[in-house]
Amino acid sequence: MSRKMRVTLALSIIALFGTLLMACGNDKDNNAVSSASAPAADPTPTTTASASASETAEAPASERKMTDYMGHEVEIPVSPQRVIFVGETFSDLFVLDVKAVGTSTSMAADTVYEDRIAGIEDVGFPINLEKTTSLKPDLIIIADTDEKAYEQLTKIAPTIMFDTFAPLEDRLLLLGDILGKKPQAEQWLADYTKQEEQLWTDLRAAGLKPGETASVFTYYPGDRLFVMARTGLSQVLYSPNGLKPTDRIQQVLDANSGFEQISTELLPEYAGDRIFILNPYAELTDAVQSTEELLQSRIWLDLPAVKAGNVYRLDIKSSGSDALSRQWLLEELPKLMAK
């Protein structure tokens, strides 16, 4: 895999642009499927126990029915043992003490948890069907709304389309339920909530005022400026005790969107009291150049947050929505905002 492709894939796992901006699968390869997921309608997933006809009244059910967020009714194992998970929130599995047998390892490139995927088989990107079959999964979880990809994977093992854009608490509790790890999910979330509350207590003691607003911006190749809403760092900042979105960003949140492309002329309407800039990958030279040009522009220099020195820069690779990245951000934010 070329460095350019690896960077493109790594960007996708952060879910800042969703996998709408990821490369499409190669239709000429019958052993691969595309992985182009995007936020979609969100029917509430449900699970119900389901025993086979051969099970006695005394025997516990080995399978149960679940309806995923795209409306597929799936028979899944009660206690899956060989899980393949392909999505930008892969580290959610680590906090549930689940080690997947396979994933798209390129999606973990340059993340805070990259070193933890050693020993997990790479199913490729696009997903290689032959490799997936060889791992003998009993459950496949994908951040993908491509029905063609879904149908191909269901021939290998029960497959769930999973909403990786969902809020951390909703997402982790559902994943814990699916994997038979709900107590672990509840405990981790309780610990995370305490860390989160302590973060905002410390920041307010350091001078953060109630009601302050925040914005997160980043550039993508093609001189495209995006404001983040329902993804990554924004999810941390807009927690109940945290910073507030501006009115224009609230509109994006109300539309259930992860992000929105804006023109630089509209920047003042989206800019908050505190601004966070996500640094593009160095290899994306046009995005890097666009970022630096913006930071020297008159429209940028005139923003109140810039004049007040309330601007913070963070590498985009560290701004994921996954559990371990979220935990890392809680530790990093006080250091970042103290600069």
Side-chain angles (χ1 to χ4, degrees):
M1 178 179 290
S2 70
R3 174 63 177 169
K4 182 177 180 181
M5 178 59 76
R6 188 177 73 82
V7 170
T8 302
L9 296 176
L11 278 171
S12 71
I13 62 98
I14 302 169
L16 297 176
F17 308 107
T19 45
L20 283 170
L21 297 176
M22 296 164 66
C24 294
N26 185 349
D27 290 334
K28 295 180 181 180
D29 183 357
N30 291 328
N31 285 327
V33 296
S34 68
S35 183
S37 84
D42 190 16
T44 302
T46 59
T47 57
T48 56
S50 173
S52 68
S54 63
E55 290 176 329
T56 67
E58 292 77 19
S62 62
E63 294 185 338
R64 58 177 175 157
K65 290 182 179 180
M66 174 192 174
T67 302
D68 70 18
Y69 93 114
M70 290 300 292
H72 305 107
E73 188 174 273
V74 190
E75 290 270 0
I76 66 172
V78 170
S79 299
Q81 300 299 309
R82 299 186 60 79
V83 178
I84 290 176
F85 185 107
V86 177
E88 66 280 352
T89 58
F90 180 78
S91 87
D92 290 0
L93 272 65
F94 290 128
V95 305
L96 298 178
D97 297 323
V98 173
K99 186 170 183 179
V101 297
T103 188
S104 179
T105 58
S106 59
M107 283 186 161
D110 297 320
T111 63
V112 301
Y113 60 89
E114 180 179 20
D115 61 341
R116 297 189 59 170
I117 65 169
I120 299 174
E121 294 288 334
D122 182 17
V123 297
F125 178 84
I127 300 174
N128 185 287
L129 298 179
E130 183 177 354
K131 178 66 176 181
T132 299
T133 302
S134 73
L135 293 176
K136 297 182 169 56
D138 56 8
L139 181 64
I140 301 171
I141 303 174
I142 53 172
D144 191 334
T145 55
D146 186 324
E147 289 294 336
K148 180 181 178 181
Y150 178 82
E151 289 300 324
Q152 289 176 302
L153 291 170
T154 58
K155 296 175 182 177
I156 301 172
T159 302
I160 294 170
M161 286 186 178
F162 193 73
D163 183 12
T164 52
F165 279 88
L168 176 64
E169 181 175 5
D170 297 346
R171 188 181 76 231
L172 206 61
L173 287 174
L174 175 59
L175 193 60
D177 183 47
I178 291 169
L179 298 174
K181 296 284 186 174
K182 197 164 185 179
Q184 289 90 331
E186 291 171 344
Q187 183 59 58
W188 189 89
L189 285 166
D191 294 340
Y192 176 87
T193 299
K194 290 178 182 178
Q195 288 179 275
E196 188 177 55
E197 290 173 351
Q198 189 62 52
L199 164 72
W200 296 112
T201 297
D202 293 345
L203 287 175
R204 296 203 188 287
L208 187 69
K209 298 179 179 60
E212 284 195 59
T213 57
S215 309
V216 183
F217 300 104
T218 195
Y219 266 99
Y220 196 78
D223 196 32
R224 290 177 286 169
L225 176 63
F226 287 85
V227 59
M228 302 296 105
R230 194 178 170 233
T231 57
L233 176 60
S234 299
Q235 292 181 340
V236 176
L237 297 178
Y238 302 148
S239 66
N241 296 323
L243 293 156
K244 308 301 180 186
T246 63
D247 290 342
R248 290 300 297 266
I249 295 176
Q250 186 61 55
Q251 292 175 19
V252 183
L253 290 166
D254 290 343
N256 211 28
S257 296
F259 52 85
E260 182 171 285
Q261 183 177 349
I262 65 171
S263 66
T264 54
E265 290 76 19
L266 291 178
L267 193 60
E269 298 182 26
Y270 287 85
D273 299 313
R274 296 178 185 267
I275 297 177
F276 295 79
I277 294 291
L278 301 180
N279 303 319
Y281 282 84
E283 291 82 357
L284 304 179
T285 54
D286 52 347
V288 172
Q289 181 178 346
S290 295
T291 301
E292 297 309 317
E293 289 175 353
L294 173 67
L295 300 185
Q296 299 302 318
S297 69
R298 188 75 264 160
I299 196 167
W300 173 264
L301 295 173
D302 285 340
L303 294 174
V306 177
K307 291 180 177 179
N310 293 331
V311 176
Y312 317 97
R313 299 186 69 168
L314 180 71
D315 288 343
I316 195 171
K317 65 185 180 182
S318 304
S319 182
S321 298
D322 61 280
L324 289 183
S325 293
R326 290 283 296 270
Q327 198 167 40
W328 181 87
L329 285 169
L330 292 187
E331 299 169 357
E332 193 66 19
L333 269 176
K335 306 173 192 175
L336 184 67
M337 295 178 69
K339 295 178 181 178

